[in-house]
Amino acid sequence: MPSDVAAAELRAGEAGAGWLDVVVLAWYLRQRDPSRSQELLLSVPPRPGPTPEPYDGRLLLTKSECLRLQARFDEAMDAVDEADKCFAAFGDQRGRGDSAFIRAEIHLMSGANAQAHKEFNAAISFYEAADDHLRLAAVKCRLAYQRQYEDLDDAARQWLDVLQEELLPAHPGVLAYMAAFRGGVAFLRGDFPAAIRIWQAGFENAGAAGAVWLSVHLAMMTGSAFANLYDLSTALDWKEKAYSLAAPTGWPEVIGNSLASMAETTTGLGQHERARRLFQDALVYLGPLRSIRRHVISYNALGGLCLEMKAPEEALSWFEKGLAIARQLGHPDLELPHGVGVATALLQSGQLEAAAAMADHVRQQAADQKNPYYEIEAICVRAAVRRAAATPDMQAVIATMEEAIALGESLSGLLIRAEIYTELASDYEAVGDFRKALSYERRARENWQRNFDRQNADRIQAMQIRFDTAQAKAEAENQRRLAEAEAARATELDRANQTLARLGVIGQEITARLDSESVFTTLSRHLHDLMPTSTLFVGLKDEANEVIDIRYRMEDGRRLPSRQVPLASDNLSARCVRDSEEILVAWGERNNPNSVPGTRHMRTVLFRPLTLGDRVLGVVSVQSDKPDAYGPRELLIFRTICAYGAIAMANAEAYQQLDRAVAETREALQRLVQQEKMAALGQLVAGVAHEVNTPLGVTLSAVSQLNDSVRHLRDLIKRGSLTRAILTETLDNGQDLATLAQRNVVRAADMIRTFKGVAVDHGSDERRIFELDDYLTEIMSLVRARVTGNGNRLELDVASVQMDTYPGALAQVLTNLVTNVADHAYAPDRPGRILVQARRLDSMVVEIAVQDHGAGIPPDILPKVFDPFFTTRRASGSMGLGLHVAFNQVTQRLNGNIVIDSVPGRGTVAILRIPREVSGHIPTSFLPMPAGAEMDITPAR
């Protein structure tokens, strides 16, 4: 853990630190900082005599680990054996377990899997003897991860229920190894989305634990899972991330593996020459490591690349090498693709008898392993051999192909390649059976369409995973910032009052909720933590039906059914809402006339209205079975949380329509462009939430101070100490506070009303008449906080033009253009101006321009800016759909056109021309494209 490393750094740097402290630090840094670790090891002097020192074993073990990662296996094995002797001399069971663990890793990288398993089991025994649950969990996860590639069903049966997060120590290193295993099971079973989510979490944990080797492998595996979802660009991003971690280490295994993994993906992208270069670079590193699984996979991929490049003889050599190592490792899942590759390469080389023999062998092996995919592939190769004969027996060819199709169709969920049907159709055509040829050609088309649909579905899943990951990170970062701001504000208000500080944090959490159920549960949790609460309920005022809808009721930790209370009744809830006042009643042993049948008798009950200004939203009640349960402290806590709850409920009510529209739209999404529309609407939500928090916070503070002033005035009246000067001062302060609260409430209401108008346009996308200058001002006010966070200036110069078009589409376009400028034009430390202009060109056409004086767009990138999925910020989570959506909205929805011009170093301008009044269809030629010479891109002043 980072805290352990920091503590070791301190110990090793203290005056009088022993060599053991230096060795422990070197052990912690062996993967985090290999160079520093080796420097520390070299600083330790050799022991003077034959008697081992306590630190000798750990020093030798650290050296062994460094040598292993450098692929110097013989030296590493000698060092670990010496370390084990030292640990044995001191009876150090934990150290002996570490020795066995590292020895197992050396065997695995040397291809001695049986010896590796033996050492893993020895490590388990040593850790059990040392009662070290952390290391025990780690070695079990590592063993399970290795075992799954040898016998998936057995590994899953033995380890899947045991190695779960809730059953393991909460250490990132252990959780990373667990993720490697559980993600591998999901991957091998074809559940690639689950594998991605598990491996991504494991990658984060491996980074936190400083496990660089495991981080590299998790990144590569995540990339492979994305590749299986046909998202090759994201797959390449992850594999490049793996290489960026591996390259500085100098470790041959991870560098070679990451290069080979990148080569596989570039092959899929059709970049054959680049892939070949990457493979060649990878094999330089993997040459000494011929007995590792990744090396075998690389040979298979390189062989496939050679087949695509029409080099069957070279492909044959790579497939044969990989097949030999796969057999040596005892990984049957790797033997099958290599066997099919050998048969295919022999066929393309004209060695028909050898190809037929290998195809028959692979077919039998696949049948024994119950792997229908490679069994079908082997049958197809066998048919191709018969087809390639000098005088082919087409009936035998057809019979063989029919066997492959019959096998595939007998298995549910297995999609036969369309090419197999096409080949069989050609075979039937060759023998003159055109009816069957046509039938199989149709089936080929149907299978092609099914495969195409499945690939699209997989790509959508991959995009959803990326979207969810980016959203979760952004949400976590936003929550962190909000928590920090709220904590700072609470500390500033009253540093000495710990209760108020905690209430501030609670308030932040409550007001961050935008749905009523989350508000209810958050209120309940904190009220139960901070004050006696046997019963709690929250009711909302339903003016239309003249009732209080008590949706959330809890008693003794169990949820009770909802109920309704008439507003006109004598019930305390109704009185609290009607009179907008707090009610505290100590019933003691007396019967409570408001008790609900089936609930316990409560001795103390407290009701408070949820109010925002003069508006009563509902009521909150806490009740206790203890007498006089609520004193001044509890009342302060309750009032503060209720105030935050009122703000949260108001926010939830204000955003309810928006949330519903977003939810309905998300459910109806069938195209990726609509996801980008919702992302822009989310930016408007963030902008208005940021702007509304300030006036609401000021209003809450003003009302609280006004309440304190009134209470103080009453006390003075009761004591007879009121003077004219005090009364005048109190009234003046009260007037100022009331004015301040009113002004800020009006400001917040205006902002929410503006936002709701724009949000309705986004959600409905209906055509209507509106004033362009007013509408653009509203849109820019909502995105201002988003684009001016780094000091950028947003300026508008908009003429008054009446439009009859689709405001939602226009808002989408301008939001995407302005936020694109904020993201790309200016560096964080060099803010600048963003200018939005609009003018009428003639009676029919309006021109809108978004201009900056930032970095500009390079000429080679400019033609691609409207392409879907093109982005220069993919590592930051950008999907590359913003400008593509803007282009589609302008050209299709608004019947206009758009162009972007840029001068690097001077700035960029986006100009769109749209008809003032949308008709059924306007030809593109109706609106001439703006020429680059017309654009004013001048340096910012």
Side-chain angles (χ1 to χ4, degrees):
M1 294 287 285
S3 58
D4 298 324
V5 178
E9 289 272 16
L10 288 174
R11 288 194 302 270
E14 290 176 352
W19 292 119
L20 179 58
D21 295 321
V22 176
V23 170
V24 168
L25 179 59
W27 171 257
Y28 285 155
L29 296 177
R30 67 194 186 280
Q31 289 195 25
R32 282 184 172 87
D33 190 344
S35 299
R36 173 101 188 282
S37 177
Q38 292 186 52
E39 289 174 6
L40 291 169
L41 292 176
L42 292 173
S43 72
V44 180
R47 66 173 182 258
T51 305
E53 296 289 339
Y55 58 80
D56 281 344
R58 188 61 55 184
L59 184 147
L60 288 165
L61 199 62
T62 308
K63 285 184 177 178
S64 174
E65 175 74 343
C66 294
L67 291 167
R68 176 185 75 86
L69 294 169
Q70 294 166 12
R72 295 159 63 181
F73 301 135
D74 292 337
E75 296 172 72
M77 189 63 78
D78 292 340
V80 76
D81 288 341
E82 287 297 317
D84 193 40
K85 292 177 183 176
C86 292
F87 289 132
F90 287 95
D92 185 349
Q93 301 297 317
R94 180 183 292 108
R96 299 204 68 189
D98 290 347
S99 299
F101 202 157
I102 291 179
R103 197 181 284 117
E105 295 286 8
I106 296 171
H107 283 311
L108 283 178
M109 295 178 74
S110 304
N113 288 14
Q115 292 91 327
H117 285 297
K118 179 181 177 182
E119 294 296 338
F120 278 134
N121 288 321
I124 290 173
S125 299
F126 286 124
Y127 291 147
E128 287 175 342
D131 200 25
D132 191 329
H133 299 289
L134 193 65
R135 282 174 164 84
L136 181 61
V139 73
K140 286 181 176 179
C141 291
R142 180 67 180 93
L143 174 59
Y145 168 60
Q146 180 62 30
R147 182 70 182 131
Q148 69 184 340
Y149 292 110
E150 300 163 0
D151 191 331
L152 173 62
D153 292 337
D154 182 71
R157 190 164 46 249
Q158 182 178 1
W159 297 110
L160 208 54
D161 292 336
V162 177
L163 302 179
Q164 300 186 52
E165 183 171 351
E166 56 269 23
L167 302 178
L168 296 174
H171 186 282
V174 174
L175 298 179
Y177 273 121
M178 179 207 71
F181 163 61
R182 298 187 70 85
V185 172
F187 181 90
L188 293 172
R189 288 177 172 175
D191 191 353
F192 304 118
I196 289 170
R197 291 187 175 92
I198 295 170
W199 281 338
Q200 283 180 336
F203 177 80
E204 297 295 332
N205 280 317
V212 176
W213 182 88
L214 187 55
S215 294
V216 173
H217 282 272
L218 286 166
M220 284 191 293
M221 293 188 296
T222 302
S224 297
F226 271 111
N228 277 275
L229 292 177
Y230 305 98
D231 188 350
L232 297 183
S233 60
T234 304
L236 189 57
D237 287 343
W238 273 98
K239 294 180 178 185
E240 287 175 342
K241 184 182 297 186
Y243 178 70
S244 69
L245 289 172
T249 66
W251 301 336
E253 187 251 348
V254 291
I255 295 175
N257 284 342
S258 55
L259 285 168
S261 188
M262 289 165 59
E264 293 170 22
T265 303
T266 51
T267 300
L269 290 168
Q271 303 171 14
H272 292 165
E273 288 303 327
R274 184 190 176 196
R276 192 184 191 91
R277 289 194 301 272
L278 287 169
F279 273 125
Q280 290 170 348
D281 292 342
L283 291 175
V284 172
Y285 291 97
L286 294 176
L289 308 170
R290 296 179 180 275
S291 299
I292 62 173
R293 179 180 177 87
R294 180 72 248 179
H295 201 169
V296 182
I297 296 173
S298 300
Y299 280 153
N300 185 68
L302 183 53
L305 175 62
C306 292
L307 287 179
E308 289 189 26
M309 298 179 73
K310 309 301 181 185
E313 290 80 10
E314 184 180 356
L316 180 60
S317 74
W318 295 119
F319 284 129
E320 287 178 339
K321 290 177 182 177
L323 181 60
I325 300 174
R327 288 170 176 167
Q328 174 190 339
L329 292 176
H331 288 189
D333 63 312
L334 295 181
E335 293 183 39
L336 296 177
H338 282 83
V340 171
V342 168
T344 305
L346 289 168
L347 170 63
Q348 293 187 13
S349 301
Q351 303 178 50
L352 301 186
E353 290 185 7
M358 177 56 73
D360 291 340
H361 172 74
V362 174
R363 177 181 181 181
Q364 184 59 51
Q365 189 178 21
D368 293 341
Q369 294 183 27
K370 299 180 181 179
N371 191 320
Y373 176 83
Y374 283 108
E375 188 175 354
I376 291 171
E377 292 299 314
I379 294 172
C380 291
V381 173
R382 189 68 177 86
V385 171
R386 288 180 169 144
R387 197 181 290 117
T391 55
D393 182 354
M394 293 308 298
Q395 293 300 331
V397 172
I398 289 172
T400 305
M401 293 296 291
E402 289 281 9
E403 283 183 57
I405 290 177
L407 175 60
E409 292 179 343
S410 69
L411 301 167
S412 62
L414 182 64
L415 187 62
I416 301 174
R417 288 188 295 110
E419 292 83 352
I420 296 178
Y421 288 110
T422 301
E423 290 171 3
L424 184 54
S426 299
D427 294 335
Y428 272 115
E429 186 177 354
V431 299
D433 192 342
F434 298 103
R435 183 179 61 80
K436 283 194 175 181
L438 179 60
S439 171
Y440 278 109
E441 190 61 40
R442 287 173 176 166
R443 290 166 74 178
R445 269 194 226 102
E446 291 170 358
N447 260 37
W448 180 90
Q449 185 63 50
R450 281 198 294 270
N451 189 54
F452 179 81
D453 292 341
R454 187 174 70 177
Q455 289 185 18
N456 276 344
D458 288 342
R459 290 189 183 99
I460 291 172
Q461 284 193 74
M463 286 205 64
Q464 185 63 49
I465 292 169
R466 295 205 313 274
F467 175 81
D468 291 345
T469 302
Q471 188 178 47
K473 288 183 177 178
E475 228 168 66
E477 179 62 17
N478 185 50
Q479 290 295 325
R480 184 186 65 81
R481 291 178 179 175
L482 287 174
E484 289 175 354
E486 185 61 27
R489 187 176 71 85
T491 303
E492 190 66 27
L493 288 173
D494 192 352
R495 293 179 182 275
N497 193 324
Q498 295 301 320
T499 302
L500 287 181
R502 183 175 180 186
L503 287 175
V505 177
I506 291 171
Q508 178 274 320
E509 182 181 355
I510 294 172
T511 55
R513 308 298 186 211
L514 291 180
D515 65 278
S516 56
E517 185 66 18
S518 295
V519 175
F520 296 158
T521 55
T522 307
L523 284 171
S524 173
R525 175 162 50 86
H526 289 298
L527 286 171
H528 275 89
D529 288 344
L530 294 172
M531 56 192 300
T533 307
S534 303
T535 296
L536 178 144
F537 68 76
V538 183
L540 297 181
K541 182 181 178 182
D542 184 348
E543 293 181 348
N545 297 311
E546 297 185 341
V547 297
I548 299 173
D549 185 8
I550 302 177
R551 302 181 189 173
Y552 189 90
R553 298 171 63 215
M554 293 286 292
E555 184 177 277
D556 299 329
R558 60 188 178 92
R559 186 81 177 256
L560 300 178
S562 59
R563 60 188 292 262
Q564 293 185 338
V565 175
L567 267 173
S569 70
D570 291 330
N571 188 282
L572 292 179
S573 301
R575 280 177 48 196
C576 178
V577 172
R578 281 200 314 270
D579 301 338
S580 186
E581 65 178 16
E582 183 180 281
I583 299 175
L584 173 61
V585 180
W587 291 110
E589 298 300 329
R590 291 179 296 145
N591 288 330
N592 180 357
N594 294 287
S595 292
V596 178
T599 61
R600 293 197 301 118
H601 172 66
M602 297 295 152
R603 298 184 179 186
T604 311
V605 296
L606 177 60
F607 296 79
R608 185 169 181 82
L610 290 171
T611 58
L612 195 64
D614 295 332
R615 186 181 172 204
V616 180
L617 305 177
V619 60
V620 180
S621 175
V622 289
Q623 304 177 15
S624 175
D625 56 3
K626 297 180 174 58
D628 301 318
Y630 305 129
R633 175 186 172 277
E634 286 75 19
L635 290 176
L636 173 63
I637 291 171
F638 185 63
R639 290 166 185 165
T640 305
I641 290 182
C642 285
Y644 285 125
I647 295 173
M649 292 306 303
N651 286 346
E653 184 181 22
Y655 294 126
Q656 186 177 15
Q657 182 179 3
L658 172 65
D659 288 340
R660 186 164 51 250
V662 171
E664 291 171 355
T665 304
R666 283 177 63 85
E667 291 174 3
L669 285 180
Q670 296 180 355
R671 299 185 318 177
L672 301 177
V673 170
Q674 290 171 309
Q675 290 184 351
E676 183 68 12
K677 291 177 66 178
M678 294 309 299
L681 188 55
Q683 292 175 351
L684 295 183
V685 174
V688 76
H690 181 277
E691 294 295 333
V692 167
N693 272 343
T694 298
L696 289 183
V698 172
T699 301
L700 177 61
S701 177
V703 171
S704 299
Q705 292 183 43
L706 183 59
N707 185 43
D708 291 341
S709 296
V710 171
R711 187 162 55 249
H712 179 63
L713 187 62
R714 284 180 175 173
D715 291 340
L716 291 176
I717 293 172
K718 288 180 181 179
R719 296 197 303 267
S721 303
L722 180 64
T723 65
R724 179 179 296 275
I726 293 175
L727 177 60
T728 301
E729 181 184 358
T730 302
L731 292 176
D732 289 343
N733 289 340
Q735 182 64 42
D736 291 341
L737 290 171
T739 301
L740 178 63
Q742 182 181 23
R743 184 165 61 249
N744 279 276
V745 168
V746 169
R747 178 184 169 196
D750 287 343
M751 283 188 286
I752 292 175
R753 185 162 51 253
T754 297
F755 170 74
K756 288 176 67 178
V758 176
V760 168
D761 287 336
H762 269 273
S764 64
D765 202 20
E766 294 180 356
R767 173 179 173 178
R768 67 178 176 87
I769 298 173
F770 60 94
E771 291 296 328
L772 182 62
D773 54 343
D774 293 338
Y775 194 67
L776 292 192
T777 300
E778 292 177 355
I779 295 171
M780 292 304 108
S781 70
L782 294 176
V783 301
R784 187 175 298 276
R786 165 72 174 82
V787 303
T788 60
N790 290 335
N792 296 323
R793 303 189 311 278
L794 179 60
E795 300 176 8
L796 274 74
D797 180 13
V798 183
S800 178
V801 182
Q802 188 179 73
M803 304 290 291
D804 183 5
T805 184
Y806 297 96
L810 183 58
Q812 175 77 34
V813 171
L814 290 175
T815 299
N816 285 8
L817 290 175
V818 171
T819 55
N820 192 68
V821 172
D823 289 340
H824 296 274
Y826 299 108
D829 58 342
R830 299 188 64 184
R833 183 177 70 152
I834 303 171
L835 177 62
V836 179
Q837 296 176 299
R839 60 172 178 156
R840 179 186 293 185
L841 293 183
D842 54 39
S843 61
M844 294 293 293
V845 180
V846 171
E847 179 182 89
I848 303 174
V850 177
Q851 183 174 352
D852 67 78
H853 300 292
I857 304 173
D860 59 327
I861 290 179
L862 190 59
K864 307 174 185 177
V865 294
F866 292 128
D867 291 349
F869 307 111
F870 177 79
T871 177
T872 59
R873 291 168 56 90
R874 193 171 303 282
S876 301
S878 174
M879 293 168 56
L881 289 175
L883 292 182
H884 177 66
V885 169
F887 179 86
N888 285 343
Q889 292 282 45
V890 171
T891 57
Q892 299 174 16
R893 194 64 170 164
L894 300 176
N895 285 352
N897 45 38
I898 181 172
V899 68
I900 291 181
D901 200 5
S902 181
V903 177
R906 294 179 58 190
T908 303
V909 61
I911 298 181
L912 57 118
R913 292 183 177 177
I914 58 175
R916 189 180 60 79
E917 180 177 348
V918 173
S919 61
H921 174 71
I922 294 182
T924 304
S925 60
F926 176 80
L927 297 176
M929 291 296 287
E934 300 176 18
M935 301 175 192
D936 176 25
I937 302 178
T938 57
R941 294 186 292 274

